[in-house]
Amino acid sequence: MSENETVVNITVNGQPVEAKPGEWVIAAAERAGVYIPHFCYHPRMNSVGMCRMCIVDIDAGRGPALQPSCMVEVSEGMVVDTTSEQTRKAQDGVLEFLLLNHPLDCPVCDKGGECPLQDQTMAYGPGESRFVEEKRHFEKPIPVNDLVYLDRERCILCDRCTRFADEVAGDPLITFQDRGDQTQVNTFPDLPFSSYFSGNTVQICPVGALTAAPYRFKARPWDLTEVESTYPNPMGDRVVVQASRDQVLRYQGVDSDAVNWGWLTDKDRFAFEATASELRLHTPLVRGTPLGRLDPGGSELVETSWGQALSLTADAIKAAVADKGPQSVAVLGGARLTNEDQYAWARLAKGVIGTDHVDAQLDDGLPAEGVLSLPRATINRACTPGGTVILMAPDPKEEQGTLYLRLRHAIVNDGVQLIELTPRATGLSHLAAFRLHHRPGEAAAVAAALMGGDIEAGPDGDIGGTPVSAVAAAAAAIANRADQPLTVVLGRPSLAEPADFTMDAVAELVRFANLLSAGGRPGIAFLPALHRGNVLGALDMGLAPGLLPGRITLADGGPALAEAWGSVPSNPGADTRGILQAAVNGQIEVLILLGADPLGDFPHRELADEALSQVGTIVASDLFLNPSTVRAHIVFPAAGFAERRGTHTNLEGRITGQRQIVTPPGTARADWAIATELARQLGADFGFGAPEDVWDEITRVAPSHRNLSMEAIDASEDGVVAADSSIAFTPPDNATPVPHVDAYSLRLVAARRMYDRGTLLQHAPSLAGLAPTAVLAVNPYDFDRVGVEPGADVQVISNAGEMDMPVVADPGVPRGTAAFGYNYPDLDVRDLVDPDAMVTDLRIQTR
Amino acid sequence: MARLNANSLGVAQEIIARYPVPRSALIPLLHLAQEQEGYVTEDAMAHIAELVGVTPAEVMGTCSFYEMLKREPVGEYMVNICNGISCHLLGSSDLIHHAEATLGVRPGGTTDDGKITLEAVECIAACTEAPCLQVNYRYRNRVTADDFDQLVSELRDDTAKVASHGQLAMVRQHIGDDRRAGVSPPDGQGEPAWMARNPSDNGDGS
Amino acid sequence: MSAPAPPDLRIITSRFDVEDGHTLAGYERTGGYAGLRRALEMAPADVHSEVRTASLLGRGGAGFPAGVKWGFCPPGVWPRYLVVNGDESEPGTYKDRLLMERDPHQLIEGCLIACYALGLSQCFLYVRGEMAHAQERLAAALNEAYEAGYVGRNVLGAPDFSVDITLHWGAGAYIVGEETALIESLEGNRGMPRLKPPYFPASIGLYGKPTIVNNVETLANLPWIVSNGGEAFAAMGADSSTGTRVFAVSGHVASPGVFEVPFGTTTFRDIIFDPRYAGGMRPGRTLKTFIPGGASAPWFFEEHLDLPLEKTTVDQAGSMLGSGAIVVMDDTTDVVKACHNVVRFFARESCGKCTPCREGTSWLEKILSRLLAGQGRPQDLDLLMDVCDNISPGINWPPRQTTICPLGPSAVSPIASALERFRSEFEAYLPATAVTVTGVAS
Ligand SMILES: Cc1cc2nc3c(=O)[nH]c(=O)nc-3n(C[C@H](O)[C@H](O)[C@H](O)COP(=O)(O)O)c2cc1C
Ligand code: SF4
Ligand code: FES
């Protein structure tokens, strides 16, 4: 407890305890090591006082009385007795009541062995039941959605799942129904609990009433071993990974104060299925004949040895460098790797091969240098009570699930004001103080006005499609709270437009940031909401053109690293688009894909396709074959999450540990080891025998990571946060002009949905089917204008292509705009996007 | 379509306008749906959810809590015999048994002709008139077995003059626009003007 | 026997016999809306003072002084709301419905006075769903009152005083009578009581704003109090229980009925036996027990008959006047059945929120049902008491709670009363060959 925090002195079972003001008795007691049994209380949700299990003797000055410790605040001098005779009797009574209608099916219950009800009963409960009446009956488990089953007979009506759905997720689709002892949890008929967060209810259900389809009957708690780790998503959600017989069987969220508060998205929680997939790569593969003979032009990928795969790769690289120079080798991807993996690959590419053609983002994020140059926020800063958050990113509910939950909580409970500066509504819109929904590509104009620039209306009395009055009011609201932190959640709101538009808007924000931070005010800071695993680690480790490990540019950091590494590239490289273009031009001989699928992910599919055809040798390191890697010449099977130790960096720059609990399939290896081995074959000895060695070197050579020891990371539950970069923000030379949209067209916004055709998702059987089918969403008022009916199957035409799809009415899409998911399994929006145009305008016609 | 029809929708909108927060209109709207169809259909719940801005599951949560709101069709007439303590003391059990025998259904059941649903209910606040019952929430006091039989025959040949199930009050509140004070939203309102009235200005109040 | 109240002491039931008392014409003819006019001549704070002076106790059950409760509104927090509790559902209680059906304008006038006094800018009249006729009468009266300028914009032409009264109706749930459940229900939710503290919605109530919840009868007294002064009201009845109160006397009496009597001075014997009231037991019958204040109240017996209907006295004697419901049982009563009847009520009406109430009351009901079906076990009687003890530790009066609201503990009262006094009648239900049934291992 810090110095200036006031303390409330209470006594718990005779021991003095220092409680925090406003703290519940149950929480204060728990911190002091006194466990008070409970079922409904959950530290991350409002107390409801339903189960009454936590009643203890509390004396707040008027004599001891039985009170629920989950809803009584500590007060100075309070005396709490959790062991009194009267407490014991009352708790026994509640336990007996709860067991009256609870089935005795513990032997076949998933929760058996980790069930608080079972534990309480063992610890306190009566030996035999005095209840001879018939128990309550319900139809046995019913699915509440595709992932979660509900057994109402086991439910003890603690309100945790229903409260979670309502308070935390904002999806009140399961509720209490009926009354009294007939009360049950249920959905509306035929309206499932379709929430991206439903798996959390399984984790917090104190009994086995809610079970997860992917885990049901898979294991018993006592068979599981577990490690605490970090899930490889940009939030760096803290998880416990549980396994049995060398198989990952479950992820449980860890209540990390700084990050995910125990929550996980369903997408991440159930992705464990992919790790165990039969389709994982087990051995190195090379091109060969159908009979398995090595043949560089062969039609098949055939199994080979590591030695052979590595030496073929080394030979190809050597030949390319000798032939066309180091920049004829390029590396794409790596965002899903650990920091150590990324560092080893970066050192191999930049320090050994000498190429700066390295990019972890597949043109679906933001310029790396720009991101690193911005002052970084923490999630807790963004959620500071009374603060302001500007959302200039894709819908966090779709892309950064647990960030969405944290922001939602901050807005609803802590009065954080949200200002949306997005091209369409998001999952937070209904909570936003201001919804400044702009025309695609026109964020910068709104940002300028928002940041105190001149508010000058366009011809329609708007700025970038946003009403002037709303922008002015939002600007005033920001100014009003200038004493509280302002945080920008920054991402690429639409993949149908270049990142330039976003960076133009950032430039406006940065211009104003100096004003904001004048006079010791907290000023402005950024949370980069980029897509894909450890993408922020990749930027920090230098897997980006023009950057070196430690948030430093090639220009600034080159000399120091050249000393450590021997050499650094002499010329800055290109980003993914530039690399693919170079390949098309015949300048790339070896293309290394680190868990990357440019064919599937890069916004310009044709360019990727052509590039892959041109490259002499494609080398891939991956967990699975994907549309791009099936075209590789050499494939390394990589170790995945939970199969190797390492560290992860989240969007705050927070570094936390990942731990190994199962062995990789077959001979798969960690990427740092593959890179180290390749380096050796190319004549460089990294000296890495373990990920710890890699980390050690990072902390010596990377300026932002200096002295962040592995011990310090492991010792703190919340990890450590890397230092801000010294790179200065360089505003774009000229703002990118936005063409006018004509009266018959709709301007396209394309962003990802949570469930799509992503590789990992599609290898998790429980999740694969959840991706929605493609629809075009249009504002209800636009139907008349474009002359089609809501729900109709229409033909959508752009200057790049055309396709048929249903069109639906969605008031969350501003007028004049059309929204389409980026990665639908059935239709590919990239067929409509002209990669050389700044915006994509669509025409719709009835078929 | 068992959503609210045009007529109900008009009433619904008037009801919603009387509350500072639309969700408050939930129970009156559920009654309205019941008035239209005789029970609350799932479509109506979904429609009401749209009208007040909550999920259908939340409407279901509320709807299912309250006994009067039926989610399955019931008879044209609900005959609710009071089984509260005062009526119990004056023979409600006998009356219920008599009703069961006469109608051939148990409490909760509906007669084959769909006319009558029998219920044994808790105290309906007519305790000095025990034993009593309600037909579609209209009281019958000090009911004997003969009275009951008489009632049943009137209900069966439609001479009882009771509106069919769902219709509660025959008079609706209506506030003319010129007379409405205006709902006070829970946020952003100051002290009402009259609180500033000064005692000394107004005679001998103090 | 103290003298029963003369008929002219009826102050809030005075229009029960007036044919058109429920109409605006009838109401105005009999002095209606004079209290409101008088109030508008006073400063709001002075109206509040009159109510304080009157020592008007709440008539909804808890008997908390209205003037004091009104004072709990935190200063400077607006808007504030008035919610009228017309959910009358406590078994044996029958008065609010009559006040709403027979004299709706009196209630409306009371609401307006309260709104004026406290700066309550909107009033919600929550009427029990099953009371279709009361809803009709109130709707008609409100329509008339709006038309005539008593309610709505600029009440009685006052430029600064406007208030809307919204008629709201429930849908069948006793628990909604509990004031925080009432507010939940009014917000469109399941009628589940809110956590205490805050103990009074006056601080945080409807939509999180200060909210005064008062019973129908409580508010119906306001026109008289303002017209005649708080002193005059306080002069009626006993010191600690002022004014008059309306009691419903039901059960095994010769002439059950609803009577307005001076509060605090009339005795149980008066109201049960006086020919002007319930007229005594049915011919040839004797009193066995009676419930003095609604189903939640512990039972009284012969020895309590001479207690006055006065709050403190009754509280001290171990029960309560509650909602003014006196239910009389004579010697023909099967107390086990009566007890089961009351317990079944609470089991059916539990909202389901707190475990001890949800599970405990229905367990009690099941045990009693089994007993009545001849399947009792000797240990069931002790089990009944122990389950009661787990719902309300110590089985004291007033009950200690392991629950949020007193509904669960209310089910304990009849069992404790009946089992203590009439244990042999319970034992008589045990099968002659009762054997001890051992429990099922859990
Ligand atoms: C279970 C329960 C049921 C109640 N039912 C009613 C009721 O039907 N009517 C009523 O006025 N008060 C009822 N009350 C009391 C209210 O909570 C509240 O105290 C009362 O409405 C306040 O009004 P008053 O101060 O004017 O009495 C009930 C209380 C409880 C605990
Ligand atoms: S299903 Fe589980 S979490 Fe939900 S109310 Fe029941 S016991 Fe609680
Ligand atoms: S944990 Fe306190 S009542 Fe459930």
Side-chain angles (χ1 to χ4, degrees):
Chain A
M1 202 165 296
S2 74
E3 285 287 306
N4 49 9
E5 232 175 305
T6 39
V7 164
V8 179
N9 295 294
I10 66 170
T11 309
V12 179
N13 297 344
Q15 299 299 312
V17 170
E18 289 190 351
K20 301 175 190 166
E23 195 173 25
W24 300 124
V25 169
I26 194 170
E30 174 133 20
R31 279 195 307 106
V34 176
Y35 175 79
I36 300 178
H38 60 270
F39 297 108
C40 68
Y41 168 74
H42 188 284
R44 295 296 182 190
M45 299 194 283
N46 290 327
S47 284
V48 284
M50 279 190 81
C51 74
R52 318 306 284 181
M53 189 65 204
C54 70
I55 38 183
V56 293
D57 257 319
I58 299 178
D59 182 352
R62 270 177 266 119
L66 284 174
Q67 292 186 67
S69 53
C70 72
M71 42 189 268
V72 174
E73 273 181 25
V74 293
S75 63
E76 190 62 33
M78 178 179 269
V79 178
V80 178
D81 186 352
T82 73
T83 59
S84 71
E85 182 56 23
Q86 124 164 316
T87 298
R88 196 198 51 76
K89 166 101 169 95
Q91 291 181 346
D92 282 355
V94 172
L95 203 54
E96 181 177 37
F97 287 142
L98 284 171
L99 288 168
L100 295 185
N101 280 300
H102 192 81
L104 303 172
D105 59 354
C106 306
V108 293
C109 177
D110 271 353
K111 201 79 176 184
E114 55 178 10
C115 172
L117 184 61
Q118 200 179 38
D119 297 347
Q120 297 302 329
T121 308
M122 301 284 275
Y124 305 88
E128 63 173 26
S129 173
R130 301 189 289 176
F131 186 74
V132 294
E133 272 66 39
E134 202 183 339
K135 287 179 189 276
R136 189 161 52 222
H137 285 300
F138 285 110
E139 189 190 325
K140 269 300 193 180
I142 50 169
V144 291
N145 63 22
D146 293 322
L147 299 167
V148 176
Y149 282 87
L150 166 65
D151 181 336
R152 290 163 294 173
E153 292 186 346
R154 290 181 188 157
C155 170
I156 57 167
L157 302 172
C158 71
D159 200 18
R160 279 187 175 192
C161 56
T162 36
R163 231 181 321 157
F164 173 86
D166 183 19
E167 277 178 24
V168 182
D171 298 321
L173 297 167
I174 44 170
T175 53
F176 279 145
Q177 295 178 11
D178 301 313
R179 189 174 82 197
D181 70 347
Q182 295 305 306
T183 309
Q184 53 163 313
V185 172
N186 213 329
T187 62
F188 192 72
D190 303 322
L191 193 73
F193 178 32
S194 37
S195 171
Y196 290 156
F197 308 99
S198 68
N200 293 298
T201 63
V202 176
Q203 182 172 331
I204 60 179
C205 179
V207 293
L210 288 163
T211 45
Y215 176 73
R216 277 167 68 82
F217 308 125
K218 286 266 170 64
R220 307 311 309 245
W222 50 85
D223 291 336
L224 295 174
T225 52
E226 62 179 40
V227 290
E228 202 170 310
S229 189
T230 305
Y231 191 77
N233 60 14
M235 274 290 279
D237 290 327
R238 301 289 290 154
V239 289
V240 163
V241 182
Q242 298 175 324
S244 168
R245 271 165 272 138
D246 210 24
Q247 235 198 13
V248 174
L249 288 178
R250 187 164 66 172
Y251 299 152
Q252 301 269 54
V254 169
D255 190 347
S256 146
D257 252 325
V259 187
N260 56 318
W261 287 12
W263 314 130
L264 294 177
T265 63
D266 290 358
K267 174 181 171 176
D268 294 342
R269 180 183 298 274
F270 299 122
F272 75 86
E273 286 183 341
T275 316
S277 166
E278 293 288 312
L279 297 172
R280 280 289 300 279
L281 292 169
H282 289 247
T283 44
L285 305 171
V286 290
R287 286 275 137 206
T289 65
L291 293 175
R293 217 157 28 79
L294 189 68
D295 171 7
S299 60
E300 309 276 305
L301 279 167
V302 298
E303 297 192 351
T304 187
S305 67
W306 274 95
Q308 180 142 45
L310 286 164
S311 68
L312 282 172
T313 307
D315 292 348
I317 293 172
K318 278 185 218 159
V321 173
D323 196 15
K324 291 193 175 163
Q327 300 276 65
S328 66
V329 180
V331 180
L332 291 184
R336 292 208 180 82
L337 307 181
T338 62
N339 293 329
E340 291 76 3
D341 293 335
Q342 291 166 341
Y343 177 83
W345 276 110
R347 181 170 172 190
L348 171 63
K350 301 195 173 183
V352 178
I353 302 171
T355 178
D356 195 47
H357 279 341
V358 175
D359 196 357
Q361 297 187 88
L362 300 186
D363 198 21
D364 53 358
L366 296 172
E369 200 179 313
V371 170
L372 291 185
S373 70
L374 298 170
R376 203 68 78 81
T378 60
I379 300 162
N380 281 346
R381 177 194 202 265
C383 296
T384 309
T388 301
V389 171
I390 297 179
L391 180 67
M392 213 165 79
D395 188 348
K397 190 171 187 176
E398 302 287 347
E399 287 209 17
Q400 312 280 353
T402 47
L403 178 63
Y404 160 80
L405 297 182
R406 289 290 314 271
L407 290 174
R408 194 179 181 283
H409 181 95
I411 299 166
V412 173
N413 297 281
D414 296 326
V416 164
Q417 66 174 355
L418 176 73
I419 298 174
E420 268 189 349
L421 188 52
T422 55
R424 60 155 306 168
T426 73
L428 289 168
S429 289
H430 63 291
L431 300 171
F434 299 95
R435 287 171 286 274
L436 310 180
H437 296 158
H438 58 81
R439 263 192 305 272
E442 299 186 36
V446 188
L450 194 60
M451 292 284 106
D454 285 341
I455 297 194
E456 226 171 86
D460 301 327
D462 67 293
I463 301 175
T466 316
V468 168
S469 54
V471 182
I478 291 177
N480 267 339
R481 296 213 192 166
D483 289 337
Q484 299 295 331
L486 171 66
T487 306
V488 182
V489 176
L490 179 69
R492 176 93 170 269
S494 167
L495 293 159
E497 65 188 44
D500 309 30
F501 288 133
T502 307
M503 295 317 286
D504 288 348
V506 170
E508 298 295 342
L509 299 177
V510 169
R511 226 193 309 284
F512 190 64
N514 305 330
L515 277 176
L516 267 181
S517 50
R521 283 159 159 182
I524 196 166
F526 293 77
L527 265 181
L530 300 178
H531 188 67
R532 224 174 266 119
N534 190 20
V535 60
L536 290 144
L539 302 193
D540 286 0
M541 293 301 108
L543 282 186
L547 291 173
L548 291 172
R551 300 183 173 181
I552 190 138
T553 60
L554 190 54
D556 292 345
L561 262 171
E563 210 168 295
W565 283 359
S567 71
V568 292
S570 31
N571 300 314
D575 64 4
T576 299
R577 178 185 277 248
I579 292 168
L580 294 175
Q581 192 59 56
V584 171
N585 298 341
Q587 294 158 355
I588 302 294
E589 289 295 310
V590 177
L591 180 65
I592 301 173
L593 301 176
L594 303 177
D597 176 15
L599 269 184
D601 287 340
F602 180 67
H604 185 1
R605 182 168 55 180
E606 277 154 37
L607 181 64
D609 190 24
E610 234 183 295
L612 292 186
S613 321
Q614 293 292 331
V615 171
T617 306
I618 302 172
V619 181
S621 169
D622 214 320
L623 308 181
F624 295 97
L625 286 179
N626 62 42
S628 303
T629 52
V630 288
R631 290 167 66 172
H633 301 86
I634 303 156
V635 179
F636 296 114
F641 179 60
E643 295 165 356
R644 76 250 200 264
R645 167 126 173 82
T647 59
H648 176 89
T649 306
N650 81 348
L651 44 70
E652 308 164 286
R654 180 183 305 282
I655 298 156
T656 46
Q658 283 187 346
R659 290 194 183 77
Q660 180 177 357
I661 188 165
V662 292
T663 48
T667 61
R669 293 189 192 175
D671 270 276
W672 67 265
I674 302 173
T676 303
E677 190 54 35
L678 264 180
R680 204 179 56 76
Q681 302 227 1
L682 292 170
D685 182 7
F686 289 172
F688 299 153
E692 285 78 3
D693 303 334
V694 188
W695 185 257
D696 202 43
E697 180 168 311
I698 294 172
T699 61
R700 278 185 280 113
V701 304
S704 55
H705 289 52
R706 206 149 276 154
N707 305 326
L708 301 182
S709 74
M710 190 74 100
E711 292 72 44
I713 294 169
D714 283 345
S716 162
E717 185 163 302
D718 295 333
V720 296
V721 178
D724 265 358
S725 164
S726 57
I727 303 176
F729 180 77
T730 332
D733 295 340
N734 289 307
T736 316
V738 191
H740 267 293
V741 59
D742 73 60
Y744 307 99
S745 299
L746 299 170
R747 186 153 284 174
L748 178 66
V749 166
R752 292 175 208 274
R753 309 287 308 272
M754 178 165 294
Y755 297 122
D756 61 11
R757 66 182 154 85
T759 308
L760 220 53
L761 255 167
Q762 290 305 317
H763 285 105
S766 301
L767 302 173
L770 298 179
T773 52
V775 289
L776 188 74
V778 169
N779 188 284
Y781 289 102
D782 275 338
F783 282 87
D784 265 358
R785 188 162 69 85
V786 298
V788 296
E789 292 285 317
D793 255 318
V794 296
Q795 189 173 29
V796 178
I797 306 161
S798 74
N799 61 358
E802 57 180 67
M803 55 176 71
D804 295 337
M805 69 183 86
V807 58
V808 298
D810 182 346
V813 178
R815 290 166 82 161
T817 298
F820 195 72
Y822 182 67
N823 213 8
Y824 283 126
D826 48 349
L827 287 181
D828 194 335
V829 73
R830 294 179 298 172
D831 294 342
L832 289 174
V833 178
D834 173 356
D836 298 320
M838 298 310 287
V839 290
T840 301
D841 290 339
L842 305 178
R843 294 206 177 207
I844 299 178
Q845 59 190 46
T846 316
R847 279 198 299 145
Chain B
M1 273 272 265
R3 288 163 66 89
L4 297 186
N5 60 30
N7 186 30
S8 307
L9 196 55
V11 179
Q13 253 125 20
E14 191 178 338
I15 292 175
I16 293 170
R18 291 204 289 261
Y19 296 91
V21 174
R23 185 177 179 146
S24 279
L26 208 51
I27 292 173
L29 297 193
L30 287 163
H31 276 298
L32 194 64
Q34 179 148 291
E35 178 172 330
Q36 182 185 303
E37 300 291 327
Y39 70 107
V40 187
T41 65
E42 284 170 18
D43 284 348
M45 282 189 251
H47 193 184
I48 291 170
E50 285 167 31
L51 291 174
V52 305
V54 301
T55 65
E58 290 174 286
V59 175
M60 174 65 92
T62 296
C63 180
S64 61
F65 188 85
Y66 299 94
E67 232 155 85
M68 290 173 74
L69 301 170
K70 306 297 178 194
R71 285 168 291 145
E72 300 285 337
V74 292
E76 199 177 329
Y77 304 106
M78 297 280 318
V79 172
N80 295 356
I81 301 179
C82 181
N83 200 18
I85 179 68
S86 307
C87 289
H88 164 82
L89 293 173
L90 291 171
S92 62
S93 313
D94 295 342
L95 185 59
I96 292 166
H97 288 146
H98 175 76
E100 287 174 342
T102 311
L103 299 173
V105 295
R106 306 267 298 154
T110 302
T111 54
D112 290 339
D113 58 2
K115 277 264 176 212
I116 297 172
T117 298
L118 176 68
E119 280 195 359
V121 297
E122 300 301 344
C123 180
I124 51 178
C127 315
T128 63
E129 312 303 321
C132 60
L133 60 78
Q134 283 186 326
V135 188
N136 287 351
Y137 306 105
R138 308 281 151 173
Y139 287 90
R140 302 288 159 124
N141 293 337
R142 308 199 187 198
V143 182
T144 64
D146 286 347
D147 295 341
F148 186 84
D149 295 344
Q150 169 82 23
L151 171 69
V152 168
S153 72
E154 284 172 19
L155 292 176
R156 288 216 153 114
D157 61 20
D158 290 315
T159 52
K161 297 207 178 60
V162 178
S164 58
H165 179 251
Q167 180 114 38
L168 283 176
M170 302 297 164
V171 182
R172 289 196 209 281
Q173 181 177 16
H174 172 72
I175 309 176
D177 280 341
D178 56 327
R179 292 294 312 130
R180 181 190 302 275
V183 294
S184 332
D187 289 313
Q189 200 200 261
E191 184 176 52
W194 71 88
M195 293 305 282
R197 285 192 182 191
N198 189 331
S200 48
D201 295 349
N202 291 293
D204 54 3
S206 49
Chain C
M1 201 193 294
S2 60
D8 59 1
L9 235 174
R10 296 198 301 174
I11 64 173
I12 56 169
T13 61
S14 65
R15 285 182 199 85
F16 279 20
D17 306 329
V18 178
E19 182 82 18
D20 62 349
H22 61 280
T23 65
L24 183 57
Y27 188 62
E28 284 176 327
R29 194 183 65 244
T30 50
Y33 289 113
L36 174 64
R37 287 179 205 281
R38 172 90 188 84
L40 294 193
E41 288 162 10
M42 298 160 63
D46 297 334
V47 178
H48 187 172
S49 301
E50 287 299 332
V51 176
R52 235 187 233 128
T53 309
S55 296
L56 171 66
L57 297 187
R59 307 300 201 227
F64 198 84
V68 176
K69 179 153 89 183
W70 289 8
F72 294 155
C73 286
V77 186
W78 308 97
R80 298 168 175 175
Y81 299 105
L82 173 65
V83 177
V84 183
N85 192 341
D87 193 59
E88 187 167 62
S89 314
E90 174 90 6
T93 314
Y94 177 29
K95 61 182 181 82
D96 296 339
R97 176 160 76 88
L98 285 171
L99 287 165
M100 293 187 281
E101 286 177 358
R102 306 244 178 122
D103 204 345
H105 282 284
Q106 176 174 256
L107 175 59
I108 292 169
E109 187 180 351
C111 295
L112 291 165
I113 292 170
C115 287
Y116 179 75
L118 297 172
L120 309 168
S121 49
Q122 187 158 21
C123 167
F124 297 92
L125 243 166
Y126 193 120
V127 183
R128 182 171 173 188
E130 289 92 335
M131 297 178 176
H133 190 48
Q135 291 159 33
E136 252 157 31
R137 283 276 168 92
L138 280 165
L142 279 169
N143 290 347
E144 283 180 310
Y146 261 100
E147 271 301 292
Y150 289 110
V151 191
R153 182 176 303 168
N154 305 340
V155 171
L156 287 173
D160 56 348
F161 181 45
S162 298
V163 66
D164 275 326
I165 300 183
T166 296
L167 182 61
H168 183 94
W169 53 109
Y174 160 74
I175 186 59
V176 161
E178 196 277 340
E179 57 193 2
T180 60
L182 188 79
I183 288 171
E184 281 290 319
S185 181
L186 187 51
E187 289 184 2
N189 301 326
R190 300 163 59 80
M192 315 228 271
R194 291 183 179 173
L195 306 184
K196 328 278 184 296
Y199 290 100
F200 286 98
S203 46
I204 298 174
L206 186 64
Y207 313 129
K209 295 291 168 185
T211 303
I212 294 296
V213 182
N214 269 134
N215 170 258
V216 164
E217 185 187 342
T218 313
L219 290 162
N221 277 295
L222 296 183
W224 196 96
I225 292 175
V226 174
S227 293
N228 299 278
E231 300 272 6
F233 189 85
M236 284 188 286
D239 284 353
S240 55
S241 298
T242 58
T244 64
R245 252 200 99 163
V246 186
F247 289 93
V249 187
S250 64
H252 296 144
V253 286
S255 36
V258 178
F259 311 108
E260 181 177 3
V261 298
F263 196 7
T265 50
T266 315
T267 65
F268 285 106
R269 193 182 296 283
D270 294 337
I271 204 161
I272 295 173
F273 287 93
D274 190 292
R276 277 179 301 169
Y277 301 131
M281 306 310 291
R282 299 184 296 181
R285 293 292 163 208
T286 55
L287 178 77
K288 187 170 190 172
T289 176
F290 63 99
I291 307 177
S296 318
W299 297 1
F300 268 177
F301 308 97
E302 181 77 35
E303 64 266 28
H304 297 105
L305 276 176
D306 291 314
L307 294 178
L309 295 162
E310 192 271 329
K311 180 173 159 44
T312 325
T313 318
V314 175
D315 286 353
Q316 277 163 4
S319 189
M320 64 168 177
L321 281 177
S323 52
I326 299 171
V327 183
V328 181
M329 302 182 224
D330 68 17
D331 54 337
T332 65
T333 309
D334 180 329
V335 286
V336 186
K337 283 187 176 159
C339 180
H340 171 257
N341 182 282
V342 179
V343 171
R344 185 205 61 221
F345 169 79
F346 290 112
R348 255 176 84 160
E349 298 297 339
S350 168
C351 80
K353 191 166 183 173
C354 305
T355 306
C357 171
R358 177 184 72 237
E359 305 293 342
T361 55
S362 71
W363 191 9
L364 290 173
E365 194 267 333
K366 283 179 176 141
I367 298 169
L368 286 166
S369 291
R370 194 159 42 74
L371 199 64
L372 286 171
Q375 287 157 9
R377 306 166 303 167
Q379 68 265 43
D380 281 336
L381 305 192
D382 290 339
L383 178 58
L384 279 172
M385 287 308 280
D386 195 50
V387 174
C388 285
D389 188 57
N390 284 342
I391 299 174
S392 178
I395 319 182
N396 292 322
W397 187 263
R400 284 198 290 162
Q401 297 174 199
T402 52
T403 47
I404 293 170
C405 92
L407 187 145
S410 295
V412 167
S413 304
I415 293 182
S417 304
L419 203 55
E420 215 165 90
R421 187 89 165 202
F422 307 107
R423 192 174 175 101
S424 61
E425 293 192 32
F426 285 80
E427 279 161 354
Y429 268 102
L430 295 176
T433 54
V435 282
T436 307
V437 183
T438 42
V440 184
S442 63

